[in-house]
Amino acid sequence: MPTDVISAREAEVLALLGEHLSNAEIAARLFISVRTVESHVSSLLRKLELPDRRALSRRAAERARPAAPALPAPLTAFVGRVRERGELAEAVKTHRQVTAVGPGGVGKTRLALAVAAEVAADYADGVWFVDLVPVTDPRRVGAAVAAAVGVGEQPGAGLDDAVVAALADREALLVLDNCEQVRDGVAPFLERLLAACPGVRVLVTSRARLMVPFERVFPVPPLSRDGGAESEAVALFLDRAAAVGLAPGPAVRDRVAALCERLDGMALAIELAAARLPTLGLDGLTAGLSDQLRVLAGGPRADDRHRSVRAVLDWSHDLLRPQDQALLRRLSVFVAPFTADAAAEVTGFAPLDRATVADGLGRLAEQSLLVVAPAASGTRYRALETIRQYGGARLADAGEADEVLARHADWCLAAASGLEDTEGPDWRARFDAVADDVRAALSWSARRPERRGQAGRLALALAGAAFTRTLLGESQQRYEQAAGLADENLAATALRQAAAVAGCRRLGDDMLRLHRAASAAALRAGDSAGAGRDLAEAATIAYRFSSTFAQVPPRDEVTGLLARARELSGSDPAARAAVALAEAAVVADAFGAVQGDVDNSVRETVASAERAVRLARPTGDPVAESAALDALSGARSWDGDPFGAADAARRRVDVLASAPPGPAAAHELMDALAMAAGTAVGAGRLPEARRWGRRLAQHPLLAEVGHHATSWLLVADAFAGHADEVLAGSVRFRDAWEHSGRQRSFSLGPAAAAVALVHGLRGDGQARADWLGIVGRAGNAPEHRHGYGAVFDALVLLHHGDVDAALDRVEPEPEEVWKWVSWVWLHWYVALRAETAALAGHPAARDRIAAARALVDGNPVATAQVDRAEALLDGDVSRLPAAAAAFEAAGSPYQAARTLLLAGGPHTATGEAALTGLGLGYGFRVGSA
């Protein structure tokens, strides 16, 4: 174990490492030199016995990791339950999952909260509380937990997967409250969670057990009446009576005990009775309850407990004014806290009006039938779940359920439609305030044939809002639900939106399925051109996004889709453009698909992509034009034209600036930014690549997927030589990649290799080997072997002076490995072939330099590299300072520093200082010609 004491300055450095700051950023923040920061980092690694900077960042994050959100703060004191608190706390400590079971109103939630607060210190990551009252769909249990824990979705996975991944290494207690209505969703979710998260324990409250083998059931009894006037039940009554201004004296406590006995010690019943004490007095309470309980006498003990709560609620209800009775039952349709305005909209019809509703809310709150919940957006009200369920039964008995639920659905539709305006910092809060009610209204409407139209509109509104809220899984689900509720024309539109959301989630199989379904819906609606367009898009997706498929569609299936698309499209311009793009993708393999033809003709590929762009532009659809430009960018890269590829990619971003917001535009823009960054790297435009890379890293839909968000920024920073930025970004990349289930993608391999490059330049062989292992699991093996891997390996080998090994790594002619180097890596590859040949004195060095110069003309980094190689071959080091200046101007400070070291003499000290400032002053050796 570490024994050295961390100094105050080291503690400051460690905290900033936890924020993933670079050494330069830490130095600026603390007003010290970069060299001093490096010294502190080395000292911290030694003292904390950690292997590398990534481990330091993790340790810092753990030290600064915020506790779980505070448990809900009850408005009243917790009374009694000494024995149950101890027994339940012990059960939670000795069992992974405990279910506190009891009837409504017995006090399960308060007991669970008290125990959770008591044991919270035992869990390094604290306690997470999840109220499942608003959840009406068992499939959304995981989403509720994700919202409470603060977990977002991962592409290619659902929220349940994200929660499991996020909690896999946590030590926490999860409290799931009010599970009875979604037990079918809770049980399988918990089974998976507990199996994958060994440090997590779960405390459930429910009216019924979950009926799973790993469950430990803890029956919650009523409050003890043992001890008569000194019992826990009496103590609760006295506490709540004092809170409303009238605490009974000692002389009447025996009568209070008798009253609590009649109420069977049910906590909610006692609290409601105590709230009435100031207006009725003890005599009135006793008389009123005696009549109710006499009617409900008899039956099993457990039923008596239910009946005692029902008795108190019946009695409280009967004492209300008729208008307040109507208000109480009508308010039961709200599943989340509501405002007075919302209550008036839904419940304000005869015998109520808006003024009556406002007054009634106050009276119900005064009588403990509503809870007042202050919020930033204004006062909100809610009913405890037992009271809400009671109100729902009364609503049905009054024959008003359909009318009130219909008004609630109308209000929800208006509220959801209002969310289309996403301006303002309070948009998320507005969504969260109404989302559960909209979901409930949608569920009710969808079950009624006469309200299918409204249900469809609710589903569409919720789908769009959920997308903006970055609830992508729900957004796709709601678009698909809307398609099932709408007519065929709207169904096709909804399915296309669902496909776009699936694209944002990197679910290629779903994209293909949904476009095929949209085609079928369009055909049923008589829109053959639309059907053809959808099939063409399905075919394009199969090749364009082949790496996002769990199972890559076979070529025969895709060519069949394309053939049918041609038949259906006719002369419709948009459909013809879609077919042209599909032909570029499938026939010409413009996107270099997994299942593509390695031997396709580059000239035909370029021509096919150019045709797709010509046909897409007149349609006025920015998304379609961007997709066609993507094909052209790919074709240009296969043609050995990185500049054309980069220009086409940059045009995509410009074109999409006019696209209306939505899933399709968002999916296209994320891809466009990635391609713009990647192709800018290929053209040697490193500042531009870093700019696009940063914009991609900051995209809100990628907040939870740092591996995809940072992939191209890591590559651009590594080529530039910004080691601190790469190492800081690598923490986000690796954590997200591991949480995602260690996905494989064409952009993830190069990103991991870029981190390995920096570790290699720094001389950290173990860390480099670690990241090369990630490359093998995240990327494409042939591409690594012959493409970016060859480039990065050669850079490391040259840095350490191993010229012969570097020469061997890039020995194959570019034509031999064209598909693996022709996209981003071609110019880097040929420039390195020229330089390694020059340094090694290879007989073909001058020919390689000439060939490279002709190819990379216009690439500022590669041109400077070829100039350097020629100067070294000629033995004229006087030309190297000019090459160093060219590298600096091109945004490659690493190559500039390396060039000065190669120049030697008076330039050596400057080069060494520059490398040290970049965090790369380790193990550099000058290779000899």
Side-chain angles (χ1 to χ4, degrees):
M1 292 293 292
T3 56
D4 292 342
V5 176
I6 296 175
S7 70
R9 178 63 84 186
E10 287 169 345
E12 291 178 323
V13 171
L14 182 61
L16 295 176
L17 286 170
E19 297 179 26
H20 307 311
L21 298 185
S22 68
N23 284 357
E25 290 169 326
I26 294 173
R29 184 82 64 90
L30 299 180
F31 301 101
I32 57 179
S33 70
V34 173
R35 192 182 295 264
T36 301
V37 174
E38 289 181 347
S39 175
H40 286 315
V41 170
S42 298
S43 177
L44 285 166
L45 289 171
R46 176 180 58 79
K47 290 181 179 181
L48 297 178
E49 298 180 359
L50 294 174
D52 53 32
R53 185 189 181 97
R54 177 172 179 269
L56 266 182
S57 296
R58 282 194 164 186
R59 175 66 60 83
E62 289 169 1
R63 286 164 59 105
R65 178 182 282 174
L71 291 166
L75 300 178
T76 54
F78 185 80
V79 177
R81 299 285 194 189
V82 175
R83 179 181 60 82
E84 291 94 331
R85 286 175 72 170
E87 292 177 353
L88 183 55
E90 185 61 29
V92 169
K93 290 177 182 178
T94 55
H95 298 87
R96 295 288 308 285
Q97 194 264 302
V98 179
T99 303
V101 175
V106 77
K108 301 183 296 295
T109 298
R110 291 300 302 272
L111 177 60
L113 285 172
V115 169
E118 184 176 313
V119 304
D122 297 340
Y123 299 92
D125 296 301
V127 179
W128 303 90
F129 181 84
V130 184
D131 183 7
L132 292 177
V133 165
V135 180
T136 56
D137 184 347
R139 295 173 298 177
R140 291 199 55 76
V141 169
V145 175
V149 175
V151 172
E153 291 185 54
Q154 294 280 350
L159 270 173
D160 288 13
D161 301 311
V163 170
V164 169
L167 298 183
D169 60 351
R170 295 292 188 99
E171 294 180 13
L173 174 64
L174 188 65
V175 181
L176 300 183
D177 194 33
N178 292 295
C179 292
E180 54 272 356
Q181 81 280 9
V182 286
R183 282 191 303 159
D184 291 345
V186 171
F189 173 80
L190 289 185
E191 184 169 7
R192 181 180 176 197
L193 179 78
L194 293 171
C197 307
V200 173
R201 292 177 184 269
V202 181
L203 174 58
V204 165
T205 74
S206 178
R207 296 189 181 193
R209 58 170 295 186
L210 301 182
M211 303 294 289
V212 289
F214 52 84
E215 174 184 38
R216 175 75 172 191
V217 176
F218 182 88
V220 179
L223 283 166
S224 171
R225 280 93 70 207
D226 294 343
E230 304 302 322
S231 68
E232 292 181 343
V234 170
L236 178 64
F237 185 94
L238 296 176
D239 180 86
R240 301 305 189 254
V244 295
L246 185 61
V252 297
R253 289 190 180 180
D254 287 341
R255 294 171 60 193
V256 172
L259 181 65
C260 291
E261 185 66 40
R262 286 182 175 274
L263 297 176
D264 285 322
M266 298 295 282
L268 177 60
I270 291 171
E271 291 185 329
L272 290 172
R276 287 287 187 177
L277 184 63
T279 55
L280 296 178
L282 198 55
D283 290 341
L285 285 175
T286 302
L289 291 174
S290 293
D291 290 341
Q292 291 285 356
L293 294 176
R294 190 163 49 247
V295 172
L296 296 170
R301 186 65 175 169
D303 284 350
D304 283 345
R305 294 172 186 165
H306 283 288
R307 288 169 175 169
S308 66
V309 175
R310 174 66 189 232
V312 174
L313 290 173
D314 281 339
W315 165 73
S316 294
H317 173 270
D318 292 344
L319 290 174
L320 296 173
R321 302 175 184 180
Q323 292 94 334
D324 291 349
Q325 291 177 348
L327 180 59
L328 180 66
R329 64 178 180 260
R330 293 174 183 180
L331 290 173
S332 66
V333 299
F334 287 101
V335 298
F338 52 87
T339 63
D341 285 342
E345 288 289 335
V346 174
T347 69
F349 61 96
L352 305 178
D353 56 28
R354 297 187 72 92
T356 307
V357 170
D359 290 343
L361 290 172
R363 284 190 295 272
L364 292 176
E366 289 170 0
Q367 294 155 22
S368 297
L369 294 169
L370 287 181
V371 176
V372 180
S377 57
T379 301
R380 292 182 176 270
Y381 302 85
R382 67 178 178 88
L384 296 177
E385 181 61 10
T386 300
I387 296 173
R388 195 177 76 84
Q389 292 181 9
Y390 173 85
R394 282 283 186 173
L395 188 67
D397 292 342
E400 293 182 336
D402 285 346
E403 182 173 2
V404 178
L405 285 165
R407 292 173 67 93
H408 178 253
D410 292 341
W411 174 81
C412 287
L413 181 57
S417 300
L419 293 172
E420 292 177 2
D421 178 9
T422 60
E423 296 299 320
D426 65 335
W427 185 89
R428 282 194 165 207
R430 289 192 289 120
F431 174 89
D432 292 342
V434 301
D436 286 323
D437 276 292
V438 174
R439 292 171 183 130
L442 172 56
S443 178
W444 176 79
S445 299
R447 295 194 300 269
R448 284 156 178 77
E450 74 278 7
R451 301 191 72 87
R452 284 176 61 87
Q454 183 186 56
R457 293 191 296 276
L458 273 168
L460 282 173
L462 183 55
F467 182 82
T468 303
R469 187 63 174 83
T470 66
L471 301 175
L472 303 189
E474 180 175 13
S475 179
Q476 181 182 331
Q477 174 196 347
R478 300 305 180 186
Y479 277 125
E480 294 192 52
Q481 185 178 14
L485 295 165
D487 61 38
E488 300 301 348
N489 280 316
L490 286 177
T493 300
L495 289 166
R496 290 167 191 144
Q497 294 281 65
V501 179
C504 295
R505 301 176 68 201
R506 299 183 62 81
L507 297 175
D509 305 80
D510 276 7
M511 293 178 72
L512 182 65
R513 170 181 63 82
L514 289 164
H515 271 295
R516 296 182 76 163
S519 176
L523 271 181
R524 289 192 296 270
D527 180 11
S528 60
R533 186 172 66 251
D534 280 306
L535 289 182
E537 290 191 27
T540 299
I541 286 164
Y543 272 56
R544 185 183 179 197
F545 301 111
S546 57
S547 65
T548 67
F549 280 78
Q551 180 159 358
V552 178
R555 181 178 179 84
D556 290 348
E557 176 185 342
V558 180
T559 54
L561 292 175
L562 177 55
R564 179 61 173 152
R566 291 189 184 110
E567 294 173 8
L568 293 170
S569 296
S571 59
D572 179 80
R576 289 181 62 231
V579 168
L581 179 58
E583 290 170 341
V586 178
V587 179
D589 191 26
F591 298 107
V594 172
Q595 69 273 45
D597 184 359
V598 176
D599 297 322
N600 60 320
S601 164
V602 173
R603 180 170 298 183
E604 290 176 1
T605 301
V606 172
S608 182
E610 288 175 336
R611 178 172 179 267
V613 173
R614 285 197 306 273
L615 291 176
R617 188 173 296 121
T619 66
D621 181 352
V623 172
E625 185 176 352
S626 170
L629 285 168
D630 191 25
L632 181 59
S633 181
R636 291 294 187 197
S637 70
W638 305 141
D639 194 28
D641 180 10
F643 307 116
D647 291 341
R650 187 178 62 250
R651 282 167 57 195
R652 293 179 63 195
V653 181
D654 295 339
V655 164
L656 289 169
S658 64
H667 179 220
E668 192 68 27
L669 179 60
M670 287 189 292
D671 185 74
L673 289 171
M675 295 304 99
T679 54
V681 167
R685 302 166 182 171
L686 294 183
E688 183 180 324
R690 297 180 72 208
R691 184 171 71 252
W692 296 128
R694 279 192 294 269
R695 187 170 165 188
L696 180 67
Q698 295 164 0
H699 196 288
L701 290 185
L702 296 176
E704 301 291 336
V705 285
H707 49 318
H708 289 292
T710 62
S711 57
W712 284 111
L713 184 57
L714 288 172
V715 172
D717 278 339
F719 273 130
H722 298 294
D724 287 340
E725 283 79 356
V726 172
L727 296 181
S730 72
V731 177
R732 181 184 176 195
F733 177 95
R734 185 167 185 170
D735 287 347
W737 177 70
E738 289 176 346
H739 285 165
S740 75
R742 301 186 174 185
Q743 295 174 331
R744 187 183 295 273
S745 173
F746 79 95
S747 64
L748 299 183
V755 180
L757 164 66
V758 168
H759 283 298
L761 296 178
R762 290 168 58 88
D764 190 338
Q766 182 56 53
R768 173 169 166 77
D770 183 25
W771 277 92
L772 288 176
I774 294 175
V775 173
R777 298 192 296 276
N780 178 295
E783 187 180 5
H784 178 247
R785 173 61 191 159
H786 302 296
Y788 61 82
V791 170
F792 290 148
D793 289 350
L795 286 171
V796 172
L797 292 166
L798 284 180
H799 183 86
H800 295 292
D802 194 345
V803 174
D804 290 338
L807 177 67
D808 183 66
R809 193 68 180 87
V810 290
E811 179 60 27
E813 293 285 345
E815 292 78 8
E816 296 177 27
V817 290
W818 74 272
K819 192 162 188 176
W820 310 120
V821 301
S822 61
W823 178 45
V824 167
W825 322 111
L826 179 61
H827 285 188
W828 298 92
Y829 188 88
V830 298
L832 279 165
R833 288 187 88 240
E835 181 171 7
T836 54
L839 287 170
H842 192 282
R846 201 162 296 282
D847 290 339
R848 289 187 180 183
I849 289 172
R853 186 176 297 285
L855 187 63
V856 306
D857 184 32
N859 181 322
V861 178
T863 297
Q865 192 168 3
V866 173
D867 288 344
R868 182 175 66 193
E870 189 170 49
L872 291 171
L873 184 63
D874 292 342
D876 185 2
V877 296
S878 67
R879 286 150 48 191
L880 294 184
F887 279 123
E888 194 71 46
S892 182
Y894 164 69
Q895 292 292 356
R898 181 169 175 267
T899 306
L900 291 175
L901 287 171
L902 289 169
H907 303 291
T908 301
T910 305
E912 288 177 345
L915 276 186
T916 300
L918 291 169
L920 299 174
Y922 309 91
F924 179 82
R925 290 178 55 203
V926 178
S928 58

